[in-house]
């Protein structure tokens, strides 16, 4: 297609932010939701954009994730709501493992008022955040530090995780495919996440709505290995059916104004 000036502005806005909701695009462009949806559909059909429930993002690569500074700003409000919902369910005086990702970093911030936590992590950003909570003991996995996001990966990290059995693993993910497969981009990170899942009594997945039906290369796990899902919007089929069949308890972190 040859985008018109409005569509070019829409494309530029999404490229600048990584992703935007339909409502945000309508506000930015000063047009109706119907106009935005029509433009988005045309550009998605031509591969210029990728749609997800309630919004649109730049097309995803299956081999490389979006850069960490950009991911920090993507769906920041939704991640904050998810983080608060997770924190509300985490009891004091328990053991946790948090993996790599901007969503788990948001969860770490939401846990700052908790007491008696023992937290194991392969995410130096999580460790930095929670180490300022005097009521929290932080244990850092050893291994290779991935400079782009300060994640710790590699065999040494896996061996370290194997020493523990924690109450709850709080994990983020890059992609949830339509068959219920959880995927990520770096096989070294995936190996650590798999160890985390195996060494937790419960596994809680925190994933905003943009992660559904997104491609990534390496398989981490399946929804059948998850006990709870925390997300920021109601799920659609086939994910609703997959979650029900897997008996995953689903928490929808809606905006406070929409809560009953």
């Amino acid at each position: 297609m040859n985008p018109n000036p409005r569509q070019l502005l829409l494309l530029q806005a999404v490229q600048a932010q990584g992703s935007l909701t339909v409502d945000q695009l309508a506000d930015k462009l000063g047009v109706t939701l119907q106009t935005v949806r029509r433009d988005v559909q045309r550009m998605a059909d031509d591969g210029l954009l990728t749609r997800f429930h309630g919004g649109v993002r730049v097309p995803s690569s299956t081999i490389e994730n979006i850069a960490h500074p950009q991911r920090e700003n993507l769906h920041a409000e939704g991640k904050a709501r998810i983080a608060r919902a997770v924190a509300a369910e985490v009891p004091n005086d328990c053991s946790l493992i948090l993996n790599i990702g901007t969503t788990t970093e948001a969860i770490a911030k939401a846990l700052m008022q908790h007491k008696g936590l023992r937290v194991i992590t392969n995410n130096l950003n999580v460790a930095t955040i929670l180490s300022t909570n005097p009521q929290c003991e932080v244990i850092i996995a050893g291994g290779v530090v991935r400079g782009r996001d300060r994640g710790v990966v590699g065999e040494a990290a896996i061996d370290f995780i194997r020493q523990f059995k924690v109450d709850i693993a709080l994990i983020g993910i890059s992609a949830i495919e339509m068959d219920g497969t959880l995927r990520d981009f770096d096989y070294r990170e995936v190996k650590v996440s798999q160890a985390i899942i195996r060494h937790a009594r419960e596994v809680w997945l925190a994933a905003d709505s943009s992660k559904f039906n997104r491609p990534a290369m390496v398989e981490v796990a399946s929804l059948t290995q998850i006990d709870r899902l925390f997300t920021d919007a109601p799920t659609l089929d086939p994910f609703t059916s997959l979650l029900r069949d897997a008996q995953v308890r689903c928490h929808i972190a809606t905006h406070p104004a929409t809560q009953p």
Side-chain angles (χ1 to χ4, degrees):
M1 68 177 288
N2 293 314
N4 61 38
R6 181 188 66 248
Q7 291 165 344
L8 283 173
L9 288 174
L10 187 156
L11 184 60
Q12 290 166 359
V14 176
Q15 289 172 336
Q17 296 294 319
S19 71
L20 287 168
T21 66
V22 170
D23 288 341
Q24 288 170 328
L25 284 168
D27 288 340
K28 280 180 175 290
L29 301 175
V31 297
T32 65
L33 294 174
Q34 290 78 7
T35 297
V36 170
R37 291 192 183 104
R38 188 164 54 246
D39 287 344
V40 162
Q41 186 61 59
R42 287 192 62 195
M43 286 187 279
D45 289 343
D46 282 12
L48 297 175
L49 296 172
T50 299
R51 299 185 69 180
F52 62 87
H53 179 54
V56 64
R57 61 171 176 258
V58 294
S60 296
S61 166
T62 61
I63 62 172
E64 187 173 358
N65 203 357
I66 300 166
H68 184 269
Q70 188 178 20
R71 284 188 285 123
E72 282 187 299
N73 296 319
L74 289 179
H75 307 286
E77 195 271 337
K79 289 175 184 176
R81 284 191 276 118
I82 291 169
R84 290 193 293 269
V86 171
E89 295 293 318
V90 172
N92 290 318
D93 303 306
C94 74
S95 56
L96 309 170
I97 301 181
L98 277 71
N99 73 344
I100 301 169
T102 55
T103 304
T104 51
E105 290 162 21
I107 292 170
K109 294 174 184 176
L111 291 172
M112 286 299 294
Q113 302 306 313
H114 276 60
K115 298 179 180 180
L117 296 183
R118 177 167 290 181
V119 177
I120 301 161
T121 186
N122 65 322
N123 185 334
L124 295 185
N125 296 319
V126 165
T128 299
I129 293 164
L130 283 174
S131 64
T132 62
N133 178 355
Q135 299 295 321
C136 178
E137 180 180 78
V138 179
I139 306 169
I140 303 174
V144 178
V145 177
R146 199 169 59 184
R148 67 177 182 268
D149 60 3
R150 305 182 78 200
V152 181
V153 297
E155 288 298 323
I158 295 168
D159 289 342
F160 184 84
I161 296 297
R162 286 174 178 156
Q163 300 177 75
F164 302 94
K165 189 78 170 184
V166 300
D167 297 319
I168 305 166
L170 302 176
I171 66 169
I173 200 72
S174 291
I176 307 172
E177 293 201 345
M178 293 184 71
D179 63 355
T181 303
L182 311 181
R183 293 189 177 272
D184 226 307
F185 295 92
D186 185 336
Y187 74 93
R188 299 173 303 168
E189 176 182 349
V190 164
K191 291 294 186 183
V192 180
S193 294
Q194 289 170 339
I196 288 171
I197 289 169
R198 288 193 297 269
H199 290 267
R201 295 179 177 87
E202 287 194 24
V203 181
W204 297 5
L205 174 64
D208 67 72
S209 55
S210 72
K211 304 299 174 62
F212 290 86
N213 198 24
R214 182 189 183 201
M217 189 173 70
V218 190
E219 181 175 346
V220 180
S222 166
L223 284 176
T224 59
Q225 295 171 260
I226 303 301
D227 296 290
R228 299 199 198 188
L229 168 70
F230 293 79
T231 189
D232 61 338
T235 58
L236 302 176
D237 273 331
F239 300 107
T240 303
S241 299
L242 289 169
L243 290 163
R244 182 182 62 247
D245 293 344
Q247 298 183 322
V248 178
R249 182 178 173 185
C250 194
H251 302 255
I252 310 299
T254 56
H255 191 280
T258 67
Q259 292 178 346

